[in-house]
Amino acid sequence: MDERGEIESLLLGRRIDALVSASPFVLVAAVFSIAFLFVTFGNDVPPGLLAGWALSALLILAVRVAVMRRVAQAESDPLRSRRGFRLIQALIGASSLTWGFGIPMFAYYGSGLDFVVLTLVATSMFVGVLLMNRAIPSAALFHTGALAVALIVAAWLIARWDSWPAVALILVYAAVLVRSVLAHDRAFVAAVTTELERAESEATVRMLLNEYEVQASDWLWTVGPRGNLREVSERLAQAFGRTAEELEGKPFVDQLSAGDRRDRLGQALVQRQAFRDMLVKLELDGEIRFWRLSARPRIDGRITGVARDVTDTQIIEERVSYMAHFDSLTGLANRYMFNERLRDALGKHEGDSTRVALFYLDLDDFKGINDTQGHMFGDRLLREVGARLEQDVCNDDLVARLGGDEFAVIIVTNSGDGMLIERAHRFLTILREPFEIDGQTVISTASVGVARCGEEPCEADELMRRADLALHAAKAKGRDHVALFDQRLDSEMQERRRIEHELRDAIKRDELRVHYQPLIDLDNGATVAYEALVRWEHPQRGMLPPLQFLTVAENTGLIIPLGDWVIRRALNEMAKWEGDFRISINLSPTQIRSAHLLDSITDALSESGMDPRRVEFEITEHVILEHNDVALATLTRLREMGMSIALDDFGTGYSSLSYLRRFPFDRIKIDRDFVKDLGESASARAIVSAITRLADAMGIPTTAEGVELPEQLDLLRKLGCNEAQGYLILEPVAASRLGDPQDEASRVPDLGGSVLDYRKARRAALARRRKRTA
């Protein structure tokens, strides 16, 4: 059947349906109208004529009802339906003619109030065409025309020429009815056409969906108004591992694993909400699977959707999510998750942010453990540290690894600062316990910084800044210490920032100065060397010693340009002096780490013309401790260039002796802590004697720092020390105060009387010795 035939067949069926649905109302209205007219005009119209009309009208109605029943029963037979429909049209036409004859008849015989009844019934039958015959436009138009003619004739019979207003009104009503019938029929045809197109679209979609379900990896599912599975396909049943019969009518959500995801799906089904890519979890054959569901509600009350297995993708996403929030080495929260939890905690307790306490923990000398035991061993240690910390906190607290050997703990508590300090010491205690790793026992300590917000709320970044300041304060105290943030730390940090900013400008504005402190030979009292010491001539605060700015320079990297400047200035100034003295310059750990240190020194030597053999660089053992291989390589290269290397502050570290074996130092400088108590402390004398004997055995000369008393000079000489340096001899001064660069005899005019006396005494003693040997 072509498209036009399908439309006509569907139209016929819908017209028959409309007639059948309207027939009860038509039957009741027609019977009552006939009965009402029969009673009203029973005394006016001749009995035979009235009875004939009434019987004819009722007979037509009866036949019409019988035919409609037969047509409704034979609707599946197109041929019988068309014949029945044509017969119904003929019966409607006969009924219209019956009324077209009856209305003028009653008008001819009636009188008085009879006309009122006739008018009501005739008008009802006239206008009732919109209800009774609207599904058959040809019958409706014929009915309208027949009754319009009948009404006009009746009006003429009643009022003759005075009936023209009524005639005009009848014509207007007839025209309106005709227009309404035609408009209704057009809408009726359009609705049927749309219905046919929708049915065709649904059939096409159903065909495509069936083909899609057969070929695609997804499954179609449908649930009824109560969320029970309907129209279960074989592929969906296979996905569930059951038969379609077993699943049909079962609640969809009962097939899924319990949890928030299933509850959200159930709520969406109850509320008939459309949703897309909703993730659900289910267990199939003992294996956890993940599906994503999408669905839309249908007009018939059901909900149809698509299910897709995304287990592999979900596992990958969960793994990625885990890696984004947790540290892969320790399994603790990482920095990202730590930041989120800290902000959440502060937001939750915004009205009382002092309840949120933050602990920063940093392992002491972890780099040394890593370097000596290897990175695998260090990783095991970090895992053990993380496990101990996590076991020592409550479930609501958070332990995170921020990177390297730095950990953080977030605790929400009402405790005061004293309890926080106690808690921090508890962390130190558990970390102080020996670790058993790969059959080795390791003892590790840590430094802990503690911070919380003050009375005023603070942001997460501010709290982290405070904890970081507290951690640095704890590390400044030494190993295994705790520090609690207070405003003093903040003030000190602000001061360091101010110094950093001003120091950058000081280097550019040439506010730095080099002062020199002489070193004397304890055997003859002669000046044998000068140590170059930097000073800062601050425009507001005057001459600043290095302790007030060198630490900031070291921590900020400014020590690199500052150190380069000191090397160039010292070599340029000392190169102008006559004599065979040394110039001693300090090198910091950051300078040793600098890749261009050797180039900078080479350029300074070339620019000044200074003999490299007169240049000595002083380092502390921390230089080698922090940057072992790099430092040793740099120091070796400096010695190869002809310069000497001195080990400064000897004896203050725990590994000084080991470094004497690992690197051939040219000089040892004994720390001032051993010199200051030399006269009163036998132990101090014993330590200095041990150092000088060790150095002498290794062929390394020694220099004592911090000499401030005259008697210390003789003691140091007798204990075997070669040189001395200190404020007794001369404080560090500018090069201009050291006398004439070209006159060695006039140099160091400001030496104290005790030093000059010592020099004279030593020269006299040497002279006497020479006479005895002569």
Side-chain angles (χ1 to χ4, degrees):
M1 185 182 297
D2 59 13
E3 182 177 358
R4 182 176 181 83
E6 289 182 1
I7 294 177
E8 290 179 353
S9 178
L10 185 61
L11 273 174
L12 177 62
R14 294 295 178 266
R15 293 187 191 281
I16 293 174
D17 292 340
L19 287 173
V20 171
S21 61
S23 61
F25 303 100
V26 173
L27 177 62
V28 172
V31 169
F32 272 96
S33 297
I34 293 171
F36 205 59
L37 291 174
F38 188 87
V39 172
T40 302
F41 290 92
N43 297 324
D44 298 326
V45 179
L49 184 60
L50 180 59
W53 176 84
L55 290 174
S56 299
L58 291 173
L59 180 61
I60 293 172
L61 282 176
V63 174
R64 179 177 172 181
V65 170
V67 172
M68 283 187 177
R69 287 182 178 178
R70 291 178 60 189
V71 170
Q73 294 173 356
E75 190 173 355
S76 58
D77 186 347
L79 182 59
R80 294 182 62 185
S81 295
R82 287 191 180 89
R83 291 176 180 174
F85 185 71
R86 286 195 292 269
L87 181 56
I88 291 173
Q89 283 182 302
L91 290 172
I92 292 174
S95 177
S96 298
L97 290 176
T98 302
W99 283 98
F101 171 77
I103 291 172
M105 177 187 72
F106 292 124
Y108 178 78
Y109 289 106
S111 63
L113 292 176
D114 296 343
F115 294 134
V116 176
V117 175
L118 178 62
T119 303
L120 291 174
V121 173
T123 303
S124 299
M125 297 302 296
F126 183 45
V127 178
V129 68
L130 294 177
L131 174 64
M132 295 182 291
N133 302 321
R134 59 181 179 177
I136 308 177
S138 58
L141 293 175
F142 180 80
H143 179 83
T144 302
L147 263 67
V149 172
L151 287 171
I152 291 172
V153 172
W156 171 262
L157 292 175
I158 294 171
R160 295 294 189 271
W161 293 107
D162 292 334
S163 64
W164 68 267
V167 172
L169 188 59
I170 291 170
L171 292 175
V172 171
Y173 282 172
V176 171
L177 289 174
V178 169
R179 186 177 182 87
S180 298
V181 168
L182 294 176
H184 178 272
D185 187 62
R186 285 194 299 270
F188 187 84
V189 173
V192 171
T193 304
T194 301
E195 180 183 353
L196 180 62
E197 292 174 350
R198 184 173 65 250
E200 291 176 347
S201 298
E202 290 179 353
T204 302
V205 170
R206 191 176 297 107
M207 179 188 67
L208 293 175
L209 288 177
N210 290 335
E211 183 179 355
Y212 169 80
E213 188 175 21
V214 170
Q215 298 181 2
S217 59
D218 300 352
W219 315 290
L220 298 176
W221 57 271
T222 300
V223 296
R226 296 185 178 181
N228 297 329
L229 286 167
R230 299 298 181 192
E231 303 173 5
V232 178
S233 65
E234 288 298 328
R235 293 197 70 251
L236 180 62
Q238 292 174 5
F240 274 115
R242 303 170 67 181
T243 65
E245 292 74 16
E246 290 175 331
L247 290 173
E248 186 70 30
K250 297 292 191 302
F252 188 17
V253 295
D254 287 354
Q255 317 309 312
L256 311 176
S257 300
D260 294 339
R261 295 187 177 107
R262 189 177 79 169
D263 294 342
R264 285 196 296 270
L265 174 63
Q267 184 177 8
L269 295 179
V270 169
Q271 297 178 356
R272 293 182 49 76
Q273 295 175 341
F275 54 87
R276 183 178 181 84
D277 289 336
M278 181 180 292
L279 184 67
V280 296
K281 183 172 73 173
L282 63 162
E283 184 175 347
L284 301 176
D285 297 329
E287 182 182 0
I288 298 298
R289 309 296 296 180
F290 293 93
W291 290 3
R292 285 200 179 274
L293 308 178
S294 300
R296 295 185 64 85
R298 297 185 347 194
I299 298 176
D300 60 2
R302 295 186 174 186
I303 297 177
T304 296
V306 177
R308 183 173 72 257
D309 191 314
V310 294
T311 303
D312 294 340
T313 303
Q314 185 63 23
I315 291 175
I316 294 174
E317 289 180 358
E318 289 184 353
R319 178 60 180 165
V320 170
S321 176
Y322 178 86
M323 294 174 64
H325 292 84
F326 293 91
D327 177 53
S328 59
L329 177 64
T330 62
L332 301 175
N334 61 11
R335 184 178 291 273
Y336 177 79
M337 185 175 180
F338 161 77
N339 289 336
E340 283 190 337
R341 287 285 298 273
L342 182 59
R343 288 183 171 85
D344 289 344
L346 290 173
K348 184 178 180 180
H349 299 90
E350 185 175 3
D352 187 13
S353 56
T354 59
R355 294 187 59 192
V356 182
L358 178 59
F359 298 76
Y360 270 4
L361 298 91
D362 192 84
L363 299 184
D364 298 325
D365 193 31
F366 177 73
K367 186 178 185 301
I369 296 175
N370 235 0
D371 292 341
T372 56
Q373 301 293 337
H375 291 284
M376 296 293 291
F377 189 93
D379 290 346
R380 289 283 305 277
L381 177 60
L382 291 175
R383 283 195 288 267
E384 293 292 335
V385 169
R388 287 191 184 183
L389 291 174
E390 198 164 34
Q391 290 171 3
D392 198 62
V393 300
C394 301
N395 292 333
D396 293 335
D397 301 332
L398 178 75
V399 179
R401 177 176 176 238
L402 303 184
D405 60 334
E406 187 174 356
F407 295 82
V409 180
I410 301 172
I411 295 177
V412 179
T413 177
N414 291 319
S415 302
D417 291 347
M419 293 299 294
L420 294 183
I421 293 293
E422 183 177 338
R423 188 64 180 273
H425 279 291
R426 169 65 183 167
F427 289 145
L428 294 184
T429 300
I430 64 173
L431 295 181
R432 207 179 292 128
E433 293 293 325
F435 292 90
E436 294 293 334
I437 300 176
D438 295 337
Q440 300 185 50
T441 301
V442 182
I443 297 178
S444 177
T445 59
S447 301
V448 182
V450 188
R452 72 193 324 168
C453 295
E455 296 301 327
E456 296 293 329
C458 64
E459 298 293 332
D461 291 341
E462 171 62 18
L463 186 55
M464 288 188 286
R465 186 185 70 85
R466 294 182 179 185
D468 192 55
L469 288 176
L471 177 62
H472 280 83
K475 294 178 76 68
K477 297 178 183 179
R479 298 166 180 261
D480 203 30
H481 275 83
V482 171
L484 177 68
F485 173 84
D486 58 32
Q487 290 302 322
R488 176 183 56 82
L489 297 179
D490 196 31
S491 300
E492 291 175 356
M493 186 272 294
Q494 297 295 339
E495 175 67 10
R496 289 194 297 270
R497 285 186 177 177
R498 186 179 64 81
I499 290 175
E500 176 188 356
H501 176 73
E502 293 182 352
L503 187 57
R504 291 183 187 276
D505 293 338
I507 297 174
K508 298 176 183 177
R509 293 197 295 257
D510 197 25
E511 294 176 0
L512 300 178
R513 304 289 182 263
V514 177
H515 287 191
Y516 301 90
Q517 188 174 35
L519 288 75
I520 65 171
D521 187 326
L522 287 174
D523 190 40
N524 58 26
T527 302
V528 292
Y530 294 92
E531 182 176 358
L533 300 167
V534 67
R535 298 291 187 268
W536 179 5
E537 190 173 358
H538 195 280
Q540 285 81 38
R541 295 188 287 171
M543 195 67 71
L544 301 181
L547 288 177
Q548 295 190 21
F549 61 88
L550 279 189
T551 302
V552 175
E554 180 75 15
N555 293 335
T556 59
L558 288 174
I559 195 67
I560 299 296
L562 187 152
D564 290 347
W565 180 88
V566 170
I567 293 171
R568 289 195 308 272
R569 177 60 62 90
L571 294 185
N572 282 327
E573 288 188 336
M574 291 292 102
K576 301 173 184 177
W577 289 47
E578 295 291 336
D580 196 25
F581 59 86
R582 304 185 316 274
I583 177 66
S584 183
I585 304 171
N586 291 279
L587 290 179
S588 75
T590 303
Q591 286 178 278
I592 291 292
R593 191 168 62 243
S594 173
H596 75 277
L597 173 64
L598 295 175
D599 293 337
S600 178
I601 293 175
T602 302
D603 293 342
L605 288 171
S606 176
E607 179 184 336
S608 64
M610 190 75 170
D611 185 352
R613 292 173 296 179
R614 294 174 57 196
V615 179
E616 180 180 82
F617 288 106
E618 297 183 16
I619 66 166
T620 64
E621 69 176 49
H622 295 291
V623 170
I624 303 177
L625 182 65
E626 296 177 11
H627 312 285
N628 197 336
D629 295 336
V630 175
L632 290 177
T634 301
L635 296 177
T636 300
R637 180 62 185 136
L638 289 175
R639 293 190 82 245
E640 291 173 351
M641 294 168 63
M643 289 162 277
S644 57
I645 307 298
L647 181 59
D648 198 8
D649 300 335
F650 183 81
T652 58
Y654 65 88
S655 55
S656 299
L657 295 179
S658 66
Y659 288 116
L660 288 180
R661 295 180 61 242
R662 299 183 63 184
F663 185 81
F665 287 98
D666 300 288
R667 189 173 308 279
I668 292 174
K669 299 191 75 173
I670 302 172
D671 189 73
R672 66 184 66 247
D673 287 342
F674 303 120
V675 176
K676 66 180 180 179
D677 298 327
L678 205 59
E680 297 80 14
S681 173
S683 61
R685 291 192 295 272
I687 292 174
V688 172
S689 176
I691 294 174
T692 56
R693 286 199 303 269
L694 173 66
D696 184 61
M698 299 182 70
I700 304 174
T702 55
T703 299
E705 297 181 293
V707 177
E708 298 181 355
L709 299 174
E711 59 269 22
Q712 291 173 345
L713 294 173
D714 268 326
L715 277 174
L716 288 168
R717 179 180 56 80
K718 293 176 182 179
L719 291 172
C721 189
N722 303 109
E723 297 176 356
Q725 174 185 3
Y727 274 64
L728 175 69
I729 301 169
L730 186 67
E731 67 179 7
V733 295
S736 60
R737 291 184 56 190
L738 293 177
D740 186 356
Q742 304 302 325
D743 183 5
E744 186 176 358
S746 68
R747 199 161 308 145
V748 196
D750 293 333
L751 288 178
S754 58
V755 177
L756 293 176
D757 292 342
Y758 177 82
R759 177 181 290 178
K760 291 178 182 179
R762 291 308 304 157
R763 287 178 178 177
L766 290 173
R768 288 192 299 271
R769 186 186 305 169
R770 283 193 296 270
K771 287 180 181 181
R772 286 196 300 268
T773 56

